[in-house]
Amino acid sequence: QVQLVESGGGLVQPGGSLRLSCAASGFTFSDYNMYWYRQGPGKERELVAGITAGGSKNYADSVKGRFTISRDNAKNTVNLQMNSLKPEDTAVYYCRAVRLVIYWGQGTQVTVSS
């Protein structure tokens, strides 16, 4: 059974940091490109960051220099280190796996507020 389980969300003050993790199971994780998406209140889901099976990374302009995506193929996890958080980063963050098929996690809430 394929599972993507996100964790690490929560409430943080502006300027703070959070580290999201996505634990994968049920498929060959190392073969898949992995992504973090987010959906803020009243907004469409958008790409935040991606990392290919080969380790190439890309970021949305809005998070460049603040967020870092990484993967650990030994642990079947993909992580998103989020620094210098802003209120506009408030969203539900989703993990996505892509190869010939697409898998989504259930999401984890991140709220940036004072």
Side-chain angles (χ1 to χ4, degrees):
Q1 180 183 1
V2 171
Q3 280 194 309
L4 292 173
V5 180
E6 300 95 335
S7 62
L11 173 64
V12 63
Q13 292 187 341
S17 298
L18 282 176
R19 183 177 176 85
L20 304 184
S21 291
C22 172
S25 61
F27 61 98
T28 307
F29 177 79
S30 59
D31 288 347
Y32 279 68
N33 299 332
M34 299 299 298
Y35 303 90
W36 284 97
Y37 279 73
R38 68 185 180 188
Q39 187 164 15
K43 298 180 181 179
E44 295 196 354
R45 195 171 295 191
E46 62 176 357
L47 175 65
V48 176
I51 183 167
T52 68
S56 297
K57 304 176 185 180
N58 67 285
Y59 298 94
D61 287 344
S62 59
V63 307
K64 280 181 182 175
R66 300 189 298 122
F67 290 11
T68 303
I69 190 170
S70 61
R71 66 188 298 158
D72 186 335
N73 289 339
K75 296 182 179 179
N76 288 357
T77 58
V78 59
N79 303 302
L80 186 68
Q81 178 65 43
M82 305 187 296
N83 299 328
S84 303
L85 283 161
K86 304 175 181 180
E88 51 264 43
D89 295 318
T90 294
V92 178
Y93 283 72
Y94 298 90
C95 178
R96 181 180 189 236
V98 178
R99 193 189 177 196
L100 298 178
V101 294
I102 298 172
Y103 304 124
W104 287 94
Q106 83 291 347
T108 186
Q109 176 70 48
V110 171
T111 302
V112 185
S113 175
S114 54

